[in-house]
Amino acid sequence: MSSEKEKSSQTLILAIIVAAFSLMGGIWLSQKHFLENNDTKIVPGVEITVLPVARELKPFILQTDEGKPFTPATLKGQWSFLFFGYTNCPDICPTTLRIMQSVWKKLPTKQGQPGHPRLYFISVDPDRDSAATLKSYTRYFNPEFTGVTGHLDEIDKLVNQLGIMYGYDEKDNGNDKDYNVNHSASLILIDPRGRMRAVISPPHIADKILADFERIRIFYGDK
Amino acid sequence: MNYKKTVLFATTLLSLLASPAFAANSITITDSWSPEAPPVVKVMAGYMVIHNNSNSDIAITSIKSKLFRKVEIHNTVMKDNTLHMVRQDRPIIRAKQTLVLEPGKYHMMLIGRQKPVKAGENIPVTLSFDNGKSINISLPVRKADEKNKKTAPAMKCGGGMKCGGGMKCGASMKK
Ligand SMILES: [Cu+2]
């Protein structure tokens, strides 16, 4: 049973197994290395503005439309798009949310799968936008979209670090519920480590956002 | 009516339905529509193309709809990195030109909706002009379609806006 020939073939098999494992390990290491290296690089070939160094978010406490806290921790674990607006905005906010809805329809992933992003519509008009209003507003566009708002102080803590701006037009005479809110139209892309990674300025085009997002995901990874 | 004629008739009817045209002498209004809005909000937008067929400028003096408390024309413009909806008090349609109301630019702002309006319904609107004429139009309410895949508010500016930086400037009035 224990001929020299058999022993050498056993050694060979063992060697092959060891080689295969170290190759797999090597690939894993180099991929990990590759992704970590990419963290401080700018993904080539995208039109949106990618930050060379992803920006950590400082604390803020807002609430989702389901009454859950919305903090920097909420943004960890998946890519997130943030869009700032208000529900009484009839033109640009619904237009942008419809565009994001067409992005969502074409995403290669489904809710719950790795790499599947989230979208938060953050109201900078908490006086008029209750959680209930935001919930039915965002779900109208896509059941996955979530509304967020909170105290203006906390909204400011978030928007100031993202370079988002907003302000109120002087309230209309007669009916002070009719005022307009001016706001940045850029979408902010947050990476799965909860850091600001990119700014998507208008004009927003669904196919371009989709293509750029896929490149970004592949380049920086889903973790 | 033979088959071909029926098809032709149906096609014509369809194209009329798809893009209603409303005319009052010097003014023609085409492509009027309103995107269906989430039921929870009481403001909606209206879009259309207003053609001035005459040799003189015409201003819009008022817009009314029985379904809304008030109607205004706004222009969405980028100013200091934020979007502003600038109310146009007497929007002018230049002689032989067109004022285009479309998503992310000029739009009718329908404020204070009196009752829910769904896709498939129509919003009646009356526009009055400074030449004494007025025109009744209807805005078919539609689920926003593929036509509106793009927002284009930021990089273009027109009207009274000052343009700077990397902005491209184009007049909002098309020929
Ligand atoms: Cu408006």
Side-chain angles (χ1 to χ4, degrees), chain B residues 101-113:
Chain B
L101 281 71
E102 60 184 324
K105 293 179 196 165
Y106 283 97
H107 57 274
M108 247 185 289
M109 177 107 164
L110 306 153
I111 301 162
R113 197 188 57 212

Side-chain angles (χ1 to χ4, degrees), chain A residues 69-139:
Chain A
F70 180 83
T71 66
T74 317
L75 295 168
K76 287 181 183 157
Q78 74 291 311
W79 289 93
S80 308
F81 290 90
L82 309 184
F83 182 63
F84 296 83
Y86 64 114
T87 66
N88 277 275
C89 151
D91 182 42
I92 209 67
C93 302
T95 304
T96 306
L97 289 171
R98 269 182 225 117
I99 286 162
M100 292 313 290
Q101 157 62 7
S102 22
V103 171
W104 244 248
K105 271 200 284 190
K106 292 178 182 172
L107 283 171
T109 51
K110 296 267 168 289
Q111 194 171 21
Q113 290 179 341
H116 193 71
R118 289 193 192 154
L119 184 137
Y120 293 103
F121 176 75
I122 301 169
S123 170
V124 293
D125 187 18
D127 276 1
R128 287 183 297 185
D129 288 340
S130 67
T133 302
L134 279 167
K135 187 171 177 176
S136 55
Y137 184 82
T138 52
R139 302 302 188 280

Side-chain angles (χ1 to χ4, degrees), chain A residues 90-91 94-95 98 140, chain B residues 33-38 43-47 103 108 110 117-119 123 139-145 148:
Chain A
D91 182 42
T95 304
R98 269 182 225 117
Y140 170 86
Chain B
W33 72 288
S34 171
E36 190 191 64
V43 290
M44 290 175 78
Y47 304 109
M108 247 185 289
L110 306 153
V117 188
K118 283 190 191 143
I123 299 172
L139 309 175
V141 179
R142 298 205 304 250
K143 296 250 182 207
D145 50 12
N148 308 293

Side-chain angles (χ1 to χ4, degrees), chain A residues 83 86-92 94-96 98-99 102 105-106 129 132-134 136-138 140-141 163-167 169 172-173 175 177-178 180-186 201-207, chain B residues 33 35-45 47 69-70 72 74 76 78 80-87 102-112 143-146 148-155:
Chain A
F83 182 63
Y86 64 114
T87 66
N88 277 275
C89 151
D91 182 42
I92 209 67
T95 304
T96 306
R98 269 182 225 117
I99 286 162
S102 22
K105 271 200 284 190
K106 292 178 182 172
D129 288 340
T133 302
L134 279 167
S136 55
Y137 184 82
T138 52
Y140 170 86
F141 295 99
I164 293 287
M165 291 188 280
Y166 72 95
D169 269 356
D172 211 58
N173 323 328
N175 194 325
K177 286 275 178 188
D178 281 349
N180 293 323
V181 183
N182 309 313
H183 57 95
S184 300
S186 299
S201 308
H204 293 133
I205 299 161
D207 289 344
Chain B
W33 72 288
E36 190 191 64
V40 71
V41 294
K42 297 224 167 2
V43 290
M44 290 175 78
Y47 304 109
R69 189 160 37 78
K70 69 177 172 183
E72 298 173 350
H74 289 183
T76 300
M78 187 66 121
D80 307 326
N81 199 28
T82 53
L83 287 175
H84 295 243
M85 292 201 298
V86 182
R87 194 175 70 219
E102 60 184 324
K105 293 179 196 165
Y106 283 97
H107 57 274
M108 247 185 289
M109 177 107 164
L110 306 153
I111 301 162
K143 296 250 182 207
D145 50 12
E146 294 297 293
N148 308 293
K149 267 201 208 155
K150 186 180 157 187
T151 54
M155 297 309 176

Side-chain angles (χ1 to χ4, degrees), chain B residues 52-118:
Chain B
N52 180 350
N53 313 312
S54 77
N55 290 315
S56 42
D57 296 353
I58 296 175
I60 300 169
T61 49
S62 85
I63 310 181
K64 287 189 162 64
S65 171
K66 64 178 182 193
L67 293 184
F68 292 85
R69 189 160 37 78
K70 69 177 172 183
V71 183
E72 298 173 350
I73 287 191
H74 289 183
N75 190 12
T76 300
V77 293
M78 187 66 121
K79 199 163 66 184
D80 307 326
N81 199 28
T82 53
L83 287 175
H84 295 243
M85 292 201 298
V86 182
R87 194 175 70 219
Q88 314 285 303
D89 282 328
R90 276 172 67 92
I92 292 166
I93 308 111
R94 299 277 168 215
K96 297 282 176 201
Q97 290 190 17
T98 294
L99 178 63
V100 179
L101 281 71
E102 60 184 324
K105 293 179 196 165
Y106 283 97
H107 57 274
M108 247 185 289
M109 177 107 164
L110 306 153
I111 301 162
R113 197 188 57 212
Q114 312 286 332
K115 67 175 191 71
V117 188
K118 283 190 191 143

